[in-house]
Amino acid sequence: MQGKRVLVTGGAGFIGSNLANRLAGDNDVVALDNEYLGTPENLDDEVEYVEADVLDDDLPTDVDVVFFLAALSSRQMLEENPREGARVNIEGFVNTVEQARDDGCETFVYASTSSIYGSQQEPCPEDMEIEASTGYDASMLGRERYAEYFSNFHDLTLAGMRFFSVYQGYGGNEAHKGEYANTISQFADQIASGEAPVLWGDGSQTRDFTHVSDIVRGLELAADNELDGVYNLGTGDAYSFNEMVELINDALGTDVEPEYEPVPIENYVYHTKADPSKFKEATGWEPEVDFTEGVELVCEPYKND
């Protein structure tokens, strides 16, 4: 993408700031954030920062492309405040699209979630049965349905990206998320400090861990190709939490054993695994960071201390 004016909502957050910084070299990028989950310290100087909320009027939507990454982005946030989660995740999305459409923008890429597939060990294609097991799932499904409406009746292109377990590590732009950061990042920080990570169940649950650099490349490709509909953004490979802890210990040269506790929540997703073939066919995207390399990248800052 070159020479475009771009709006990234949630632009000071983890994925949003990585995307804004990547695009700022060749584009005019505005990162909008209310600083609930984001921090402008994540952003490069080339990015224009606007502190605002996606529920506000008069958003800076006179742009060529909107990347809508703003969200209350975890199950727990929606359990604690379901009405606010629905307002931000659905109403905020609709508000932003409506303002951008009025300003002439026709290309949108937005965050959705792989958790709507539930617990699946086989690769999940986009057309498989989905469900809303949590308030967070429901809010993202609502976002997808509104995107379908905008596409069908307003001739806009809206690519919904179903993310699979995105990570970077506390050495990147993920540190501010704390307890909401990916488990790799939390466990690496604990193991580097000699603290035993706590795994739920027996540690055999799996995730399709996808490095944020592969995610932001995918988001850019979705906009460049003006995709419409929903697409998986994950590697297609899955690793267990036990394997993850072993790889962290290998990378750090440590030998910290995890502790195991019973799963404390209902509807826990034990397994995730993407079928990324639809997105690969549409854009040529391939993940460039395999999981072993990704764990090394997460652990590298601790080895330099």
Side-chain angles (χ1 to χ4, degrees), residues 101-241:
R101 182 172 72 91
D102 289 344
D103 285 333
C105 182
E106 298 180 346
T107 303
F108 300 82
V109 179
Y110 66 94
S112 186
T113 179
S114 62
S115 65
I116 57 178
Y117 294 122
S119 186
Q120 303 288 339
Q121 287 185 279
E122 295 300 314
C124 298
E126 290 85 350
D127 60 357
M128 74 173 289
E129 184 175 345
I130 54 179
E131 60 185 7
S133 297
T134 68
Y136 175 60
D137 298 346
S139 71
M140 288 304 187
L141 281 172
R143 184 180 288 188
E144 289 188 3
R145 296 289 80 80
Y146 267 101
E148 185 179 13
Y149 154 70
F150 282 120
S151 174
N152 288 341
F153 293 97
H154 294 290
D155 200 27
L156 306 177
T157 60
L158 302 98
M161 311 307 296
R162 293 175 177 172
F163 297 150
F164 282 76
S165 204
V166 188
Y167 71 97
Q168 182 179 31
Y170 288 175
N173 288 5
E174 197 178 3
H176 72 279
K177 293 189 70 175
E179 65 178 304
Y180 298 114
N182 192 282
T183 50
I184 298 174
S185 308
Q186 295 188 55
F187 290 175
D189 192 66
Q190 292 166 355
I191 290 171
S193 301
E195 180 184 348
V198 175
L199 276 59
W200 292 350
D202 61 4
S204 63
Q205 64 267 56
T206 60
R207 295 289 181 270
D208 187 334
F209 295 107
T210 310
H211 194 269
V212 71
S213 63
D214 288 325
I215 293 290
V216 298
R217 281 193 307 104
L219 291 168
E220 184 178 6
L221 284 168
D224 283 341
N225 288 275
E226 297 183 348
L227 297 186
D228 195 62
V230 291
Y231 297 84
N232 289 333
L233 199 47
T235 68
D237 296 316
Y239 290 81
S240 73
F241 280 25

Side-chain angles (χ1 to χ4, degrees), residues 40-53:
E41 295 176 1
N42 283 338
L43 295 166
D44 294 343
D45 292 340
E46 294 80 6
V47 178
E48 177 186 348
Y49 176 64
V50 174
E51 184 179 354
D53 194 289

Side-chain angles (χ1 to χ4, degrees), residues 161 218 222 227 231-233 276-285:
M161 311 307 296
L227 297 186
Y231 297 84
N232 289 333
L233 199 47
S277 57
K278 179 182 175 183
F279 189 62
K280 289 182 178 182
E281 291 169 6
T283 66
W285 176 89

